[in-house]
Amino acid sequence: MGLTAEESGRLAALLETHADKLTASWTDAVAAPLRGRLTRAELLRQVQDLHRTLVEALQAGDFDLSAEAAASLRATLVEMSRSRARQGFSAAETAVTVFGLKKALFDVVDVRGADPQVLADLLALGLVIDDLGLFTFETYAKTREELIADQAEQLLELATPVVKLWEGVVAIPLVGTLDSARAQVIMERLLETLVETGSPYAIIDITGVPAVDTQVAQHILKTVVAARLMGAECIISGIRPQIAQTIVALGIEFGDIATKASLADALRHALRMIEANRKARSN
Amino acid sequence: MERVPVLKIGDILLVSIQVDMQDQTALALQEDLSDRIVATGCHGVIIDITALDIVDSFVGRMLSSIAAISRVLDAETVVVGMRPAVAITLVELGLSLDGIRTALNVELGMELLARSRADEPEDLGIDGLSATT
């Protein structure tokens, strides 16, 4: 940005003199496209912050957005675009927060009757605002990318594999909190694997489930009942001491479903059952 | 009217339901099956519902009554091949198939029947028969 110290000073003075009118008009320009999703008071506060930091940056001498003097302005812009991105506002709705200043300037400063000097200053200020807008845009995009990366990671956590432990025994190690949507996916995947592999035994390992409340227990019970309807038996394993205490405290009944402390115990149980069946058949 | 075929494999009768069950079809199946159990003296019935996308309370009741009829005629019933989606729906609806044993596929169903026959006391040998005569 080719702004001289003198130009910067005049721009700062221009913004200063009309401070109240400018911020009011600016807030209006910002509030319109957001349609009440942020309160006016909140917007006014953001706009005042931007105004104040912009004036400070201009007063510091020849304006440059990447300079040390503009650090607090940059911080304000970053904070604003980050919060907008996280709250799910669109890119245009975020950029308008900066570009609203242009509209406010035209409202406040009498452009038609102004002398050439003021017009030139306004043009220079327009360039400054464009720079701020680009910066906002970039931060916004970066934040969104971070969000997407985070969500991809979460999705990866959700992927729960069903593993074949032995001939006729599959296991599903559950990791993370079980909500209804996830429980549904897990239930379907487990039952489908039972059919595909023709395994009559399934082990549901809940070592990785941080907490078992009535709802989680309900999901597990439903899965077990569905598996039984299909002709497969489920064993629940990996019950930690605290979880066992919670289950009893909550009065959750697992009925005649086999529960084991560890996956190894569950596998042993399943193998024993398979062996017993084999003996019964060969008799 | 569509009829569901009843196939005899060894000591087992295999019923594979491939059509939409309606009242008439269900009644005909019950009749056919009980006739065949008596005629063949089979001790096991396997009902394959792999092809059924929907199991509602009607089909559930039909399966239960077939199982009950078979039991009266000393034949054990196993329902095999229930799809995951069907099982989930039944659980969500709170329906249960009372008195019905299930297996994942026909093979496991036959094993289950073989096992439950093996659990029963041995058939009376020639000695036992000669003792009564």
Side-chain angles (χ1 to χ4, degrees), chain A residues 98-264:
Chain A
V98 172
F99 292 125
L101 175 57
K102 272 191 184 176
K103 192 175 179 304
L105 277 171
F106 283 114
D107 287 344
V108 174
V109 181
D110 178 19
V111 183
R112 283 178 190 80
D115 64 56
Q117 179 68 64
V118 174
L119 285 180
D121 284 348
L122 274 182
L123 265 182
L125 191 54
L127 288 177
V128 170
I129 294 170
D130 287 349
D131 244 13
L132 302 186
L134 279 178
F135 183 76
T136 313
F137 215 96
E138 216 159 68
T139 317
Y140 176 86
K142 209 184 283 173
T143 312
R144 289 304 278 256
E145 269 166 26
E146 282 168 17
L147 269 183
I148 291 170
D150 283 351
Q151 281 167 353
E153 203 175 312
Q154 283 166 4
L155 269 184
L156 213 68
E157 283 173 12
L158 286 181
T160 309
V162 183
V163 290
K164 184 174 169 180
L165 278 189
W166 210 270
E167 193 60 46
V169 186
V170 295
I172 184 160
L174 298 184
V175 177
T177 317
L178 282 186
D179 55 7
S180 298
R182 240 195 111 201
Q184 188 78 21
V185 172
I186 287 168
M187 189 198 253
E188 278 167 18
R189 197 172 301 166
L190 177 63
L191 299 184
E192 270 158 22
T193 317
L194 286 179
V195 174
E196 276 165 25
T197 59
S199 311
Y201 292 97
I203 300 173
I204 303 175
D205 187 77
I206 58 170
T207 312
V209 180
V212 174
D213 55 11
T214 46
Q215 204 165 8
V216 171
Q218 186 70 19
H219 290 315
I220 295 174
L221 284 177
K222 270 187 187 169
T223 311
V224 174
V225 173
R228 272 201 184 158
L229 272 178
M230 290 170 54
E233 201 56 40
C234 287
I235 305 160
I236 299 169
S237 78
I239 302 172
R240 281 175 283 125
Q242 304 97 306
I243 301 261
Q245 289 171 32
T246 330
I247 287 174
V248 172
L250 287 174
I252 297 167
E253 282 284 343
F254 277 125
D256 55 347
I257 300 164
T259 52
K260 300 282 166 192
S262 71
L263 185 60

